[in-house]
Amino acid sequence: MKNKIEVLISEEKLQARIKELAEEIKKDYNDSEVLFCSVLKGAIFFAVDLMKNYDGDALVDFVRVSSYDGENSTGKIILKIPLKEENIKDKNVVLIEDIVDTGRTFNYLVEYVKKMNPKSVKTCVMLDKPSRRVVPFKADYVGFEIEDLFVIGYGLDYDEKYRNLPYIGYINEK
């Protein structure tokens, strides 16, 4: 790689904030069972660490959607791995996403899950990029708000690369 990767959020900061988010979710749900639904592929690292820090009854499920081509959002959402209604119905669902920028995908997912009659639906995002919003959306739980940078690492990719970095970074093109 010719460009230098700059650290935006260190591994230590990520893990500390994830622990806080798990505690917030536990406080909100108390002793009720929660279904953590991770959006693949990007949110998997975040979802795993969130669940490892969650001290309560939890289930897990996965959904996969796509709306990106390289660095750009296409605006078209494609459901690649759907959820099953029998796994969602009457459950407290926490949708977990790596990043929200335009808001289109997460808004779509919330509406998609609501059609399956869950007991409740809340959203948890590792990164929120409100400057790129085209659809009004506010997550229930937010790890970090960031400026308009194309970020990589900790599940976030650039053409399927860099997901394995233990921190959130960006490519310094200078």
Side-chain angles (χ1 to χ4, degrees), residues 1-173:
M1 167 171 242
K2 296 175 184 171
N3 300 309
K4 184 175 186 305
I5 298 173
E6 300 285 344
V7 175
L8 181 65
I9 304 168
S10 70
E11 182 177 9
E12 294 77 22
K13 275 187 168 179
L14 275 169
Q15 293 305 319
R17 182 65 183 129
I18 290 166
K19 184 174 179 160
E20 292 171 357
L21 288 169
E23 289 168 359
E24 287 176 37
I25 295 168
K26 173 63 174 155
K27 184 179 172 189
D28 287 351
Y29 285 100
N30 206 358
D31 290 326
S32 297
E33 184 179 76
V34 175
L35 171 65
F36 288 102
C37 184
S38 176
V39 180
L40 295 174
K41 299 178 187 174
I44 192 66
F45 289 75
F46 178 47
V48 166
D49 284 344
L50 186 67
M51 287 188 70
K52 286 193 308 190
N53 283 280
Y54 185 75
D55 183 26
D57 290 337
L59 303 169
V60 67
D61 206 344
F62 302 94
V63 63
R64 184 167 178 206
V65 292
S66 178
S67 66
Y68 269 79
D69 182 19
E71 293 182 33
N72 303 306
S73 176
T74 63
K76 183 179 177 186
I77 299 163
I78 301 165
L79 188 60
K80 292 188 169 187
I81 299 175
L83 293 165
K84 293 182 179 169
E85 185 172 352
E86 62 264 23
N87 295 345
I88 302 296
K89 188 175 180 175
D90 298 323
K91 299 278 194 300
N92 291 308
V93 178
V94 176
L95 277 168
I96 302 171
E97 179 64 294
D98 53 1
I99 188 166
V100 173
D101 54 13
T102 66
R104 285 186 191 114
T105 303
F106 223 13
N107 192 54
Y108 168 86
L109 281 172
V110 169
E111 294 308 312
Y112 169 70
V113 169
K114 282 181 179 178
K115 290 177 185 172
M116 296 182 197
N117 301 308
K119 187 174 183 179
S120 68
V121 180
K122 289 199 176 186
T123 55
C124 182
V125 300
M126 180 171 60
L127 303 174
D128 187 11
K129 199 189 295 187
S131 64
R132 301 244 316 142
R133 217 54 109 243
V134 296
V135 173
F137 185 84
K138 184 171 177 1
D140 297 294
Y141 308 100
V142 176
F144 300 90
E145 189 174 300
I146 64 168
E147 58 188 278
D148 189 13
L149 293 168
F150 189 84
V151 288
I152 55 174
Y154 198 69
L156 298 154
D157 73 298
Y158 178 71
D159 284 339
E160 295 296 326
K161 296 179 181 98
Y162 311 110
R163 289 188 195 276
N164 60 318
L165 297 174
Y167 56 85
I168 306 283
Y170 63 97
I171 297 172
N172 186 343
E173 297 178 354

